[in-house]
Amino acid sequence: MKNLVIVESPSKAKTIQKYLGADFEVTSCMGHIRDLPGNDKAIDVENNFTPVYEISEDKKKLVQELKKRARQAETVWLASDEDREGEAIAWHLFEALDLEASRTKRIVFHEITKPAILKAVANPRSIDTNLVDAQQARRVLDRLVGYGLSPVLWRKVQRNLSAGRVQSVSVRLVVEREREIQAFTSKSQFRIVAEFDENGKTFKAELPKRFDREEQAQEFLTSCIGATFTVSNLEIKPAKRSPSAPFTTSTLQQEASRKLGFSLTNTMRLAQSLYEAGHITYMRTDSVNLSELAIEGARQEIVSVFGQQYSRPHNYVTKVASAQEAHEAIRPTDFSQRSAGNSDGERKLYDLIYKRTLASQMAEAQIERTIASITISTRPDVLVATGEVIRFDGFLKLYLESTDEDASEDDSGKMLPPLTIGAHPDLLRMTAREKFDRPPSRYTEASLVKKLEELGIGRPSTYAPTIATIQARNYVVKEDREGRQREVREFKLERGTVTRVVERENTGAERSKLFPTDIGMIVTDFLTKHFDKIMDYNFTATVEKQFDEIAQGSVRWTEMIRSFYGPFKLDVDRTSETAERQSGERLIGVDPASGRNVYVRLARYGPIAQIGDADDENKRQKGLPGNLTMESITLEQALELFKFPRVIGAFEDHPMEVKLGRFGPYIEHNGAFYSLAKDDDPYTVAGTRGIEVILARRQKIAENTIKVFAEDPTVKVLKGRWGPYVVVGKQNVRLPKGTDAAALTLDECLQLAQQQAPAPKATKSSAAKKSAAGVGAEKKTAAKKTAVKKTAKKTAAKRTTK
């Protein structure tokens, strides 16, 4: 073999293999082959913070195979991604495979196309140790922080908690925003809007000021009865609207969330597939730069489709000062390919990237803005109508960026009918409607990424994993929440009469927003109090800049780590010795029935309400359901919890109990759980309704069940959202493509479950050394695999007996 090319993934290898001749063999290392072991011995602090890497258990066989093939090759080409993570993978391959520098070449490319691959092969380089050091510094620092803080949280707050340099400040952002919202006091004012008719066309005008009291609003409308309205001034201004820059990682994540409803993780997964298939450039970048070749390709496509007047070749300047390396923005590799992808999600994301990139090279939209002033004969006030006309649509013909703001009350973008000074438009109606101040918006995944980027926290490769981690740790939840009803007052002037109505509107409803959990708030408070430097936004951003300096070769990574670790270790030791245990306990009142104090606090398994002091032998406790938090729960709400469980009757000789859970109220019956509908009131739901809920759920389960096995009822073949799958105990098992789900045997189900059960990461002795970040997950993984094996053995034993 002449040449061995090693990349990270099989799909990337398959694409590149098409562009290289028979002299090249392209294979995959399946991502990182080495990492820090999962214990506190991974970094030799006394020996200049030397990291001790080990080959992952599941990669040992692969590494041996790669070693063998590397020895057979004349030249080994390391073709991992062009960022720091990719550079580190290349270095680990060089070290683990015992490669020789004289026979090893490093190649990089930002798109997987034939010209890019051939250009990279023609211009190889050596491994950039500065980039490797920057990645290594991040890995070492994050390990020191995580393994330093997590054990403290175990001792002082609750077991199985973890902390991290970026994840903890991300949680802090969500916590602080929630407290801003809780502390917000909404005030209302009355907004005056008039609707006019001018030659059969309607338009709206608004009073620039608002009224605090309803008497003022009513008096204004009353004074306009019989008034003449006159257009006193028309101001016409030309304006331009410019296209947005091509996508960076964060702007792609934000726009895919807003326009397509994709999560960050899903966006990056789909982008990775598009990149590895050669359809888009590298998807982890903070650059908005486009190559001259890309700009010319976009120009040709724009002229061909829309005409010369729509073309405006333009290169954007990256605003992020620390943008990594000489990356390009995320763009299509071929502008003549208007659709790409193997799935609906991939095609939608490609379409978004295609249109955004092409629009960035299109002409500005030419707009004419009109402001009309309308006087009132009975008052000195002036109403203002605004509108705009698009004279040349430019890039708007293809693409318009979305925003996180609600523009439902903004009429400025609407067209006005032809107006002349001195005209007297007819008043159709005038309203004075009560409008409430809005609290700050809760973060979505996308807006949190935007905030992290603004603060300089994290990098393109870390946004999605960070936000996924804080949700996986249950510090933050992403969910929909129903709003509450409130009264809204409105006065309406129509046909010479002013009327007053009181309506009800829903407020505070949230969709896919991030909420801090009680444990997230308590951990944030504890860390902010005892590790204020770690939780400081400026510190986290400064660390990112230091990583950039290491990547540029201006700072040695060990010196950066040393300057951090000394003070940090002192804080860890001091906090371990002196800090009090934190439970977030709060006295919320007195139980009128017993006269005992009522508290909320964090217990071993989560937040609870408690009647009675800690030393009260007869104290009563109830877990808080998901819609209540320790900070906001009232005494009345807490006392209501003690009305549960409610026995609402019996069915099939077993009681039906209504209970409150993390995800809402449910009925427990004979060891099974049945969620109540949103319309069901858990305080009043009766036995007949309980039976309906149980039977309806059973019917749905039956409809989704493809196959069950009498020999082992814990194994089932079910219909799922993405197709059939197998359930073995608590494990969900994917089915290979083309599998006939209805024809599966019990043995085949168990075999698939065993194949997909992740292997334990460590022995019992090494697991004992793990910090808070990893132990619980490992025990669950090992237990899951053991459970699958036991199920298989038990089933086999049953058959043998028969």
Side-chain angles (χ1 to χ4, degrees), residues 412-433:
S412 60
K414 296 182 179 179
M415 290 181 60
L416 293 178
L419 297 172
T420 57
I421 294 177
H424 300 293
D426 297 324
L427 178 69
L428 298 177
R429 65 189 58 84
M430 183 182 291
T431 60
R433 186 174 179 85

Side-chain angles (χ1 to χ4, degrees), residues 401-414:
E401 183 179 21
S402 300
T403 68
D404 293 314
E405 303 303 319
D406 181 4
S408 58
E409 293 183 9
D410 185 9
D411 295 316
S412 60
K414 296 182 179 179

Side-chain angles (χ1 to χ4, degrees), residues 486-549:
R486 71 179 173 195
E487 290 186 347
V488 179
R489 295 167 290 174
E490 182 181 74
F491 294 93
K492 183 182 291 186
L493 167 59
E494 194 168 18
R495 297 189 181 91
T497 304
V498 176
T499 56
R500 179 184 187 273
V501 294
V502 178
E503 299 176 350
R504 297 187 69 81
E505 69 176 13
N506 198 45
T507 182
E510 301 283 22
R511 180 171 176 78
S512 295
K513 293 294 181 68
L514 298 178
F515 296 83
T517 61
D518 287 315
I519 190 64
M521 288 184 163
I522 292 170
V523 167
T524 296
D525 290 342
F526 181 84
L527 292 176
T528 303
K529 179 179 180 180
H530 298 287
F531 298 94
D532 57 329
K533 183 177 180 181
I534 294 290
M535 297 294 285
D536 183 77
Y537 301 129
N538 290 329
F539 166 75
T540 310
T542 300
V543 168
E544 296 293 347
K545 292 176 184 175
Q546 290 176 323
F547 291 150
D548 295 334
E549 291 170 351

Side-chain angles (χ1 to χ4, degrees), residues 712 747 750 754 787-797 799:
D712 190 344
D747 283 339
L750 294 173
Q754 248 182 312
V788 171
K789 289 181 177 177
K790 283 182 178 179
T791 303
K793 288 178 180 177
K794 191 187 294 183
T795 304
R799 288 216 193 88

Side-chain angles (χ1 to χ4, degrees), residues 311-325:
S311 175
R312 178 178 168 266
H314 182 66
N315 212 345
Y316 294 80
V317 177
T318 301
K319 294 181 181 178
V320 181
S322 56
Q324 286 184 30
E325 295 87 47

Side-chain angles (χ1 to χ4, degrees), residues 5 20 24 77 105 107-109 116-124:
V5 182
L20 298 175
F24 288 82
W77 304 75
K105 296 181 179 181
I107 57 173
V108 295
F109 36 84
I117 299 300
L118 295 180
K119 183 180 178 181
V121 171
N123 297 277

Side-chain angles (χ1 to χ4, degrees), residues 128-171:
D128 189 332
T129 53
N130 290 331
L131 296 182
V132 175
D133 286 346
Q135 189 275 343
Q136 191 162 242
R138 178 187 293 278
R139 191 77 183 88
V140 169
L141 180 62
D142 288 348
R143 173 57 66 92
L144 290 173
V145 171
Y147 273 55
L149 295 181
S150 298
V152 177
L153 292 177
W154 279 48
R155 289 191 290 271
K156 301 298 182 179
V157 182
Q158 191 182 69
R159 293 180 65 81
N160 298 319
L161 296 179
S162 73
R165 180 182 59 85
V166 178
Q167 78 171 51
S168 295
V169 293
S170 301
V171 176

